[in-house]
Amino acid sequence: MYEKIPQPPTRPLVGNAADIDPSARMENWLRLSKIYGPIFHLSLPQRNLIILSSQELVNEACDEKRFNKRVGGALNEVRSFTGDGLFTAQNSEKNYGKGHRILASAFSPVAMHGMFEGMMDIAEQLVLRWKRFGEDSIINVSENYTRVTLDTIGLCAFNYRFNSFYQNELHPFVNSMVRALHEAGSRARRTSIQNKLMIASQRQFNADIQNMQETAGKIIEERRRKGQGEKKDVLDIMLTAKDPVTGEGLSDENIRYQMVTFLIAGHETTSGLLSFATYELLKNPSTLQKAREEVDKVLGTDRITIDHIPKLVYLNQILKETLRLYPSAPAFTVASEEDTVLGGKYQIKKSDDVVVFIAGLHRDPTVWGPNVEEFDPDRFSPEKMGTLPPNSWKPFGNGMRACIGRFFAIQEVTLVLALILQQFDLIEENPSYQLKIREALTIKPENFFIRVKTRGTAP
Ligand code: HEM
């Protein structure tokens, strides 16, 4: 009565290790899900992955009474620098509950009001830079957006200025982070003996971790020295709040882990969303035109305020559709407490890592129709949104472990795109550009360049 879960061919000793190459995972798994269907099995020397990409199966895996987040593989290696911060803590760890309760309100929709001016401060730096460089200047899209998103999370959460727009090179934190994330992925695929033998990589990994921890440590020290500013930010909350359940505050070590977590999770993903949205706007002139019309109608030549954000309905649909095709974090992993059965016929062991492959789920033709690759923001029109089956759109993960920064990300991206559309005409530098996705833990378009022309519609 049970069915075997399909599995691509394996190699001796390493099993399916070649199929989890982190630099091309999304592409590989989309290909494999076309061949093997909505559930397939990858075996690694120390883990079994069960990859899901249909709404029907994902809907079951999102039932938190049966499945919960598992921190394994690359995420377990990321723990070397994010420890028991929210992203990489196991549900059962005491610091997870404490951190979640203390930080949830700091990133609530209400808290976003207090962060608007900080977001605006950085977005205006981007606009000014683009204006000053002028029409002939070639803009590296992902690089510019990385500056925006790193500076925005730094300023809004910790009142710390990375000042990325005033440096030629990206902040050393970013270089350490990119290298460490890459190494974490590689470490998860090597055996522990291989890891021990790679002395130079280990040394660089340690140096990068130290650099990230020191950046966080310096920000804490400076805050203690200067005291709280005019308004309480996320760092003040972490330094002073007591968890209502245990009555305890967060330790300095845990605060450093949370800070590194926010700096990483808060900028990599969001700059990916901004980059892919810009790419799709340029590839779809009628969508760009409609978005521009909405921005002109809602903002005119006014300075954007927080009250404009919910009125930018079509822009929001564009972001949802971008996250459907390019979920910045393309997968998350859960596991069952007990051996169980999925879809009435697939046996799952409690030791299995059940991977919700978001990029595959977002291409399930039973939900999205035959043209899943087509960029169509109307899929998320207010009328259609209510008709989507449960758990068919999961770019921000699931349940209690869903993204704490989702309101932050959407507000920031809406604000930045609205400003850009209000003030610039976008020109693709290379109209025959073929999208190439660069993947680490998150995804970005590689070598995507634009130019911009000022519209003369500044507030
Ligand atoms: C969790 C995606 C922006 C902080 C997650 C998860 C996903 C995700 C899929 C669940 C991961 C899992 O289950 O293993 C995204 C996307 C973003 C984004 C697509 C932007 C487009 C942000 C921002 C922040 C942030 C701006 C911080 C301000 C976090 C944290 C968690 C998380 C701390 C762990 C939450 C927990 O387990 O309690 N995100 N994220 N993310 N995200 Fe985001």
Side-chain angles (χ1 to χ4, degrees):
M1 79 179 202
Y2 295 122
E3 265 181 42
K4 190 172 180 309
I5 300 178
Q7 180 176 16
T10 54
R11 293 201 189 134
L13 299 175
V14 294
N16 293 107
D19 297 315
I20 65 153
D21 171 5
S23 63
R25 195 179 48 159
M26 178 170 145
E27 204 183 311
N28 272 342
W29 289 6
L30 283 174
R31 185 177 48 80
L32 291 176
S33 61
K34 275 198 192 122
I35 302 172
Y36 297 99
I39 178 166
F40 61 89
H41 170 193
L42 297 178
S43 66
L44 303 173
Q46 283 151 31
R47 299 194 300 147
N48 269 324
L49 307 184
I50 310 293
I51 320 286
L52 309 181
S53 53
S54 72
Q55 181 274 335
E56 196 187 347
L57 294 172
V58 169
N59 195 35
E60 264 190 67
C62 285
D63 178 353
E64 291 175 284
K65 290 196 238 33
R66 295 181 58 198
F67 293 92
N68 277 295
K69 172 160 172 163
R70 169 172 287 165
V71 179
L75 222 49
N76 204 28
E77 297 291 340
V78 173
R79 270 183 75 103
S80 306
F81 41 102
T82 55
D84 55 8
L86 286 182
F87 201 84
T88 42
Q90 305 281 6
N91 278 1
S92 53
E93 281 179 276
K94 186 175 171 194
N95 275 348
Y96 179 74
K98 250 173 39 171
H100 179 76
R101 287 184 292 271
I102 288 178
L103 283 156
S105 63
F107 285 99
S108 68
V110 175
M112 291 307 110
H113 285 250
M115 297 195 183
F116 189 82
E117 276 310 315
M119 291 183 180
M120 190 67 179
D121 179 317
I122 306 295
E124 283 180 326
Q125 291 184 32
L126 172 94
V127 168
L128 191 65
R129 179 183 163 106
W130 285 10
K131 280 187 181 161
R132 292 284 185 271
F133 276 134
E135 221 177 291
D136 295 330
S137 170
I138 296 172
I139 296 169
N140 179 333
V141 173
S142 295
E143 208 236 34
N144 271 258
Y145 289 153
T146 298
R147 289 172 197 258
V148 175
T149 53
L150 179 71
D151 282 25
T152 303
I153 184 74
L155 184 62
C156 292
F158 314 131
N159 198 17
Y160 180 83
R161 287 190 184 269
F162 282 96
N163 280 329
S164 303
F165 286 111
Y166 299 94
Q167 341 267 343
N168 280 335
E169 299 298 322
L170 286 172
H171 193 280
F173 181 92
V174 178
N175 294 330
S176 285
M177 182 207 78
V178 169
R179 261 195 314 261
L181 283 175
H182 186 266
E183 176 62 12
S186 306
R187 289 174 68 83
R189 284 178 306 137
R190 296 185 204 124
T191 62
S192 50
I193 296 176
Q194 279 173 318
N195 277 329
K196 283 202 183 99
L197 290 175
M198 303 200 55
I199 295 167
S201 308
Q202 180 70 51
R203 208 173 281 151
Q204 182 67 59
F205 193 49
N206 291 344
D208 286 329
I209 292 171
Q210 196 180 346
N211 181 20
M212 288 188 277
Q213 290 292 325
E214 274 175 14
T215 305
K218 270 190 213 142
I219 299 175
I220 299 179
E221 250 172 57
E222 199 177 306
R223 177 63 50 92
R224 288 225 163 94
R225 208 164 13 90
K226 291 188 181 158
Q228 189 182 310
E230 274 166 36
K231 63 177 196 286
K232 212 176 177 160
D233 63 14
V234 177
L235 179 56
D236 293 318
I237 293 174
M238 290 198 288
L239 288 168
T240 56
K242 296 273 179 271
D243 168 28
V245 173
T246 60
E248 296 169 12
L250 302 178
S251 67
D252 270 19
E253 180 191 61
N254 184 256
I255 294 176
R256 280 198 305 276
Y257 283 145
Q258 304 288 11
M259 289 175 76
V260 173
T261 299
F262 289 136
L263 290 175
I264 296 176
H267 93 277
E268 266 286 288
T269 46
T270 313
S271 63
L273 170 57
L274 268 167
S275 305
F276 285 114
T278 305
Y279 166 79
E280 285 295 349
L281 283 172
L282 276 161
K283 286 287 169 210
N284 296 279
S286 61
T287 306
L288 175 58
Q289 175 63 22
K290 209 168 151 188
R292 162 68 66 73
E293 279 166 17
E294 177 178 82
V295 168
D296 285 351
K297 191 165 145 225
V298 173
L299 297 187
T301 53
D302 290 349
R303 185 176 192 265
I304 187 168
T305 66
I306 191 150
D307 297 329
H308 290 122
I309 300 286
K311 295 184 186 146
L312 296 165
V313 178
Y314 189 63
L315 208 51
N316 186 266
Q317 288 175 221
I318 290 174
L319 300 186
K320 290 199 168 98
E321 176 67 345
T322 305
L323 284 168
R324 181 184 72 82
L325 281 176
Y326 314 102
S328 314
F332 62 89
T333 304
V334 295
S336 168
E337 291 276 303
E338 299 157 1
D339 292 354
T340 184
V341 175
L342 259 184
K345 55 187 177 191
Y346 300 114
Q347 283 181 297
I348 305 286
K349 297 209 181 69
K350 62 181 177 189
S351 56
D352 290 338
D353 284 357
V354 177
V355 180
V356 173
F357 178 39
I358 311 173
L361 168 73
H362 288 177
R363 287 167 171 81
D364 179 348
T366 64
V367 176
W368 308 102
N371 303 323
V372 291
E373 294 298 339
E374 193 181 310
F375 185 82
D376 177 11
D378 287 337
R379 297 178 200 271
F380 293 96
S381 65
E383 312 81 64
K384 287 197 191 146
M385 269 300 276
T387 64
L388 285 177
N391 295 311
S392 45
W393 185 74
K394 303 294 288 178
F396 293 114
N398 189 49
M400 180 177 76
R401 300 304 301 258
C403 178
I404 200 172
R406 58 196 186 275
F407 306 112
F408 185 98
I410 294 296
Q411 178 168 301
E412 178 186 359
V413 175
T414 309
L415 161 62
V416 171
L417 277 185
L419 274 187
I420 290 174
L421 291 173
Q422 182 190 36
Q423 304 199 25
F424 298 105
D425 286 325
L426 302 176
I427 305 155
E428 198 171 350
E429 172 56 16
N430 171 10
S432 57
Y433 171 73
Q434 290 290 316
L435 178 62
K436 174 143 179 22
I437 294 180
R438 179 166 56 82
E439 183 166 356
L441 212 58
T442 61
I443 54 171
K444 296 261 179 71
E446 191 165 58
N447 294 331
F448 175 47
F449 298 99
I450 59 168
R451 283 182 297 115
V452 295
K453 193 167 160 208
T454 306
R455 286 177 77 201
T457 41

